[in-house]
Amino acid sequence: MQGKSRLMSVLMIAIVVFSLGLVTVSAQDEQSFVIGISNSFVSSEWRTQMIQNFQDTAQELSENPDLGVEIELVIESEDTDAAGQEQQIQNLVNRGVDAIIVNPGDAQALRLALEDAVAAGIVVVSIDQEIDGEGIVNVVIDQTEWARISIRWLAEALGGEGDIVLI
């Protein structure tokens, strides 16, 4: 599972960098980007790993001399409510980030703050939950289908033996 979340981090940063207009770059043309990460929930292993994957990916891309890209991450990550995450987003806007990747705690409550970020020229990518907002890029999965695929895999892995508990 770590491989899939690592791949997702690479894809998210790639989406952001390409959204900022970086299509081809040479080492002589090094460009730097400041990418903000807003996360409202740190009490799960998945969210902690997500942040670590973004950090590792940004470092790897920045250390690749063939890409000519320098990525600085500004991470706003703490257990908070919708108002707290809205403040995270405002902090990132005030910091002047080029892009924001947000894993929203409350997609509806954050819509206006993220639309304001888009209006300020910041690329906004929402992951894990779709945000119905002007100019926001949504990279999400069909949670119901993901659950079907996961339970099918689990049933096959158990080979018809054992019990499955759904919580």
Side-chain angles (χ1 to χ4, degrees), residues 1-10 46 49-50 53:
M1 193 62 113
Q2 184 176 355
K4 286 184 182 179
S5 61
R6 175 85 175 101
L7 176 60
M8 183 61 105
S9 296
V10 171
W46 186 89
Q49 186 63 49
M50 173 190 73
N53 286 343

Side-chain angles (χ1 to χ4, degrees), residues 12-112:
M12 288 304 94
I13 289 180
I15 287 168
V16 167
V17 170
F18 282 107
S19 295
L20 290 167
L22 176 68
V23 178
T24 58
V25 180
S26 68
Q28 301 100 311
D29 258 358
E30 184 167 307
Q31 296 187 35
S32 66
F33 301 97
V34 180
I35 300 173
I37 308 289
S38 173
N39 177 42
S40 67
F41 185 69
V42 296
S43 299
S44 80
E45 185 177 326
W46 186 89
R47 294 279 186 114
T48 303
Q49 186 63 49
M50 173 190 73
I51 296 297
Q52 186 63 55
N53 286 343
F54 280 128
Q55 291 170 323
D56 293 345
T57 301
Q59 181 178 349
E60 286 176 26
L61 293 173
S62 293
E63 291 175 352
N64 184 336
D66 295 332
L67 293 178
V69 175
E70 179 68 33
I71 298 172
E72 175 189 348
L73 293 182
V74 178
I75 298 172
E76 293 272 346
S77 181
E78 62 184 78
D79 284 322
T80 191
D81 59 7
Q85 191 169 23
E86 195 171 354
Q87 184 60 54
Q88 288 179 352
I89 292 163
Q90 189 59 51
N91 292 345
L92 295 171
V93 170
N94 291 341
R95 170 67 169 72
V97 299
D98 298 302
I100 296 172
I101 299 173
V102 60
N103 193 330
D106 184 333
Q108 188 60 23
L110 299 179
R111 185 178 60 79
L112 292 176

